[in-house]
Amino acid sequence: MAATTLWRSDALTILDYRCTAGPGDVPYAEAFRDHSVSYVRRGSFGCRSRGRSFELVAGSVLVGHRGDEFMCVHEHHDGGDECLSFHLAPALVETIGDRSATWRVGAVPPLAELMVLGELAQSVVDGSNDMAIDEVGLTFATRFVDLVGGYERKSPRPSAVDRRRAVEVALWIDAHAEQPIDLDMAAREAGLSAFHFLRLFANVLGVTPHQYLIRSRLRRAARQLVETPRAITDIAFDVGFADLSNFVRSFHRAAGVSPRRFRQRAQGPRSGRDR
């Protein structure tokens, strides 16, 4: 089993699991280290936990309760499996719903409401979406609790204080967009937990904090592409992107053209050779 950490914070850890076990491998007992929800994105496997057995296929969700023993088996499929796994700290579990029965369901069959979020998370991992993986992870875990716990979370109309708080943090993000900003940092600026801040910000402004951050960077980049002769690579790093490919991909997704083509169109007949 190969595990790659994609994200780690005090509240949430996201792992990419890739298992190559098959029918000939001897299963062994393990224990869930955290409360977790693991989205199966490829392959299949079985899981035995608390006297019950589950079969999981692509789109299923393996649910872990901290401390419970489990055993994964691969009796029916020798092609391996892959999971995108969201591990929640106790404080986060308590915040979004800590009913023991919810976290001891063992597994959830492929449900459209979770599958679309699982694929959204995978698109973030692949770099084809401008959300942040921790934001999608919180959304996935919350949606799981809402579905399995049998209740829908109401989004109360934000008060004037909350609206001002969201706007003030948006202004702060915009003013510091070239710096590395993540959900925890923005939440601390608001004086809220990451979970509550994400819900408040999206409710008030209609985008997640990371989406707003990326769009602030793209706005600055577009201005520099039009108004300056600077190299595209320099612009990408200057506005806060960590690598050129991510910038080009994000810009193309937003503008429909590459940064170079955008510059050419903006400059019209004045444009010289590509920079």
Side-chain angles (χ1 to χ4, degrees):
M1 170 79 76
T4 302
T5 301
L6 302 175
W7 173 267
R8 185 184 298 277
S9 69
D10 291 341
L12 182 69
T13 300
I14 303 174
L15 299 172
D16 181 342
Y17 286 112
R18 298 176 185 240
C19 180
T20 59
D25 293 287
V26 178
Y28 55 91
E30 304 175 74
F32 290 109
R33 293 177 298 172
D34 310 288
H35 285 59
S36 61
V37 281
S38 301
Y39 177 71
V40 183
R41 66 183 184 214
R42 189 185 72 80
S44 71
F45 61 96
C47 182
R48 299 169 184 168
S49 179
R50 297 178 63 82
R52 294 178 295 168
S53 296
F54 308 93
E55 295 295 334
L56 295 98
V57 296
S60 301
V61 177
L62 177 65
V63 182
H65 184 283
R66 186 179 185 183
D68 281 1
E69 289 192 354
F70 70 100
M71 180 183 295
C72 288
V73 295
H74 301 79
E75 301 170 327
H76 310 301
H77 180 65
D78 61 1
D81 58 83
E82 298 178 4
C83 294
L84 193 58
S85 187
F86 307 97
H87 295 247
L88 286 66
L92 179 56
V93 174
E94 184 177 352
T95 299
I96 68 174
D98 61 353
R99 303 177 190 176
S100 181
T102 300
W103 291 97
R104 281 189 162 134
V105 297
V108 176
L111 299 177
E113 298 90 337
L114 292 178
M115 290 171 67
V116 293
L117 290 176
E119 294 304 317
L120 175 61
Q122 187 57 46
S123 75
V124 173
V125 174
D126 295 339
S128 56
N129 189 285
D130 67 353
M131 288 187 71
I133 189 62
D134 56 330
E135 294 176 350
V136 183
L138 281 173
T139 303
F140 188 96
T142 302
R143 188 60 179 146
F144 156 74
V145 170
D146 290 346
L147 288 170
V148 177
Y151 66 92
E152 282 285 347
R153 235 170 271 272
K154 301 296 183 182
S155 294
R157 188 171 183 175
S159 66
V161 171
D162 283 341
R163 295 177 71 86
R164 183 173 66 250
R165 178 180 287 171
V167 170
E168 287 176 347
V169 176
L171 294 174
W172 176 82
I173 290 174
D174 190 56
H176 300 84
E178 77 285 355
Q179 300 176 18
I181 297 173
D182 61 24
L183 180 61
D184 285 346
M185 292 174 61
R188 284 195 295 271
E189 189 70 20
L192 297 171
S193 70
F195 170 77
H196 287 109
F197 172 68
L198 175 59
R199 292 173 64 83
L200 172 64
F201 193 95
N203 193 16
V204 172
L205 297 175
V207 294
T208 70
H210 187 73
Q211 287 175 320
Y212 184 72
L213 171 64
I214 295 300
R215 292 167 196 186
S216 293
R217 291 171 175 171
L218 292 175
R219 190 179 71 250
R220 286 169 167 73
R223 178 67 65 85
Q224 291 196 39
L225 286 168
V226 172
E227 296 182 351
T228 75
R230 299 184 66 204
I232 291 174
T233 300
D234 292 341
I235 291 175
F237 292 145
D238 182 63
V239 300
F241 285 90
D243 63 80
L244 180 61
S245 62
N246 186 22
F247 167 66
V248 172
R249 188 167 52 243
S250 298
F251 193 94
H252 194 287
R253 191 163 54 242
V257 294
S258 68
R260 177 171 293 139
R261 185 62 178 152
F262 179 84
R263 169 176 273 171
Q264 290 173 337
R265 288 183 178 180
Q267 293 176 340
R270 296 174 300 161
S271 62
R273 65 182 182 87
D274 293 349
R275 284 186 286 269

